[in-house]
Amino acid sequence: MTEFGTNLVAMVTPMQPGGALSEPGLTRLVDHLLATGCDGIVVGGTTGESPTLDEAESAGLVRAVAARAGRYARVIAGVGTYDTATSIRRAREAEAAGADALLLVCPYYSRPTQAGVIAHCVAVADATELPVMLYDVPARTGVAMAPSTLIELAGHPRIRAVKDAKGDLFEAMTVLSRTSLAYYCGIDELNLPYLACGAAGLVSVVGNVAADRTADLIRAVRRGDLETARAVNDGLLALTERIMGSGTGAANAKAALAELGVIPHASVRLPLVEAISAAGRPRRAIATPS
């Protein structure tokens, strides 16, 4: 899937203490992601703290990442909000800023009906010429995209993929069998089973730290070497637990990146707080390499 990439990372948004965006941190992070095998960067998604970014910041991030990585990785801009008009505006701004594709989350908080979800997604997909990856994450939005909704939306010429953070493998396989949608696993804990069931790739939070190992996982599954894939996955379990198991993935991934020296600060914006250990010190997020 060249229009989205395969080994995608849900990139954190580097910030300075106090919450201002960190341009040096962004540059170093993008270079790190490219060097470790990422071929798709999701900018301004949930892990990028999208609800705290204003429209100018979101477009500026897309512009900066596209300028740095556009020749080497696809740039997918998170544009979804709970307001259709705002989402359309952000989609158009992302297209103008150089995005290759859009990530469109199911409208959150408003709890629309499935008819509302369909109307929202179609309106945003109609607003630009960019391919769209739907983001189904009911734990955050309060509303799941029903299989019938995904199947209907698959008929839109620009809606071409799903980031699935629902975790229902049978449903995913059912939609895969009835549409041409490319599925991307959006739950790091389930990367291996999703790939084994036919997912086109991953949108990984853990990939901020270990895109080289998620690339190894994808390659092993694609060549049918499940023994190697299980070994790679086993080696990622401790890291996945530390980043995804407690607190928030965004804060923990930033703590890991700061510990590695990739970004200078692990700062986040409220209502998130920086990852802190039980002893009151910045939390160590890096697992011992396997």
Side-chain angles (χ1 to χ4, degrees):
M1 291 297 296
T2 56
E3 62 189 351
F4 298 104
T6 300
N7 188 30
L8 282 63
V9 170
M11 189 187 75
V12 301
T13 300
M15 296 174 181
Q16 303 172 27
L21 301 188
S22 171
E23 291 184 13
L26 180 64
T27 298
R28 291 170 62 179
L29 177 55
V30 171
D31 289 350
H32 161 78
L33 295 179
L34 296 176
T36 53
C38 168
D39 65 0
I41 301 176
V42 175
V43 182
T46 306
T47 304
E49 299 174 69
S50 56
T52 74
L53 301 173
D54 64 32
E55 290 184 33
E57 288 174 327
S58 295
L61 284 168
V62 172
R63 190 174 299 110
V65 174
R68 192 80 181 176
R71 290 183 297 166
Y72 310 104
R74 310 303 282 176
V75 178
I76 299 94
V79 299
T81 71
Y82 49 58
D83 172 54
T84 304
T86 299
S87 299
I88 288 172
R89 189 166 60 247
R90 290 198 172 206
R92 289 172 175 162
E93 290 169 350
E95 183 178 41
D100 297 302
L102 305 176
L103 179 69
L104 182 60
V105 72
C106 182
Y108 47 88
Y109 191 77
S110 302
R111 295 180 62 84
T113 64
Q114 293 299 303
V117 171
I118 291 169
H120 172 87
C121 293
V122 168
V124 178
D126 282 343
T128 79
E129 297 300 317
L130 298 180
V132 174
M133 178 186 292
L134 303 174
Y135 183 14
D136 190 8
V137 56
R140 290 185 180 274
T141 64
V143 174
M145 293 181 171
S148 59
T149 293
L150 293 169
I151 291 166
E152 181 170 343
L153 288 171
H156 192 286
R158 282 185 290 280
I159 296 176
R160 299 175 189 166
V162 177
K163 177 186 175 184
D164 185 348
K166 187 182 293 176
D168 187 330
L169 286 164
F170 184 77
E171 179 183 300
M173 289 187 290
T174 301
V175 177
L176 274 168
S177 72
R178 296 183 59 185
T179 72
S180 59
L181 290 170
Y183 260 67
Y184 287 77
C185 180
I187 307 175
D188 274 294
E189 298 90 329
L190 297 179
N191 283 340
L192 176 55
Y194 266 85
L195 289 169
C197 289
L202 313 175
V203 181
S204 173
V205 177
V206 173
N208 279 281
V209 176
D212 51 349
R213 287 191 268 174
T214 54
D216 289 342
L217 180 65
I218 293 167
R219 283 192 291 266
V221 174
R222 286 197 163 184
R223 65 175 180 263
D225 185 355
L226 290 182
E227 183 176 354
T228 297
R230 285 193 294 268
V232 174
N233 190 66
D234 287 349
L236 281 166
L237 292 178
L239 179 60
T240 300
E241 170 62 25
R242 293 193 184 195
I243 291 179
M244 306 304 297
S246 63
T248 62
N252 290 337
K254 283 187 175 183
L257 288 164
E259 188 176 326
L260 288 171
V262 175
I263 59 176
H265 306 287
S267 302
V268 292
R269 286 180 176 173
L270 289 172
L272 299 187
V273 293
E274 188 172 338
I276 299 295
S277 71
R281 295 186 294 272
R283 184 173 180 265
R284 290 183 61 81
I286 301 297
T288 301
S290 62

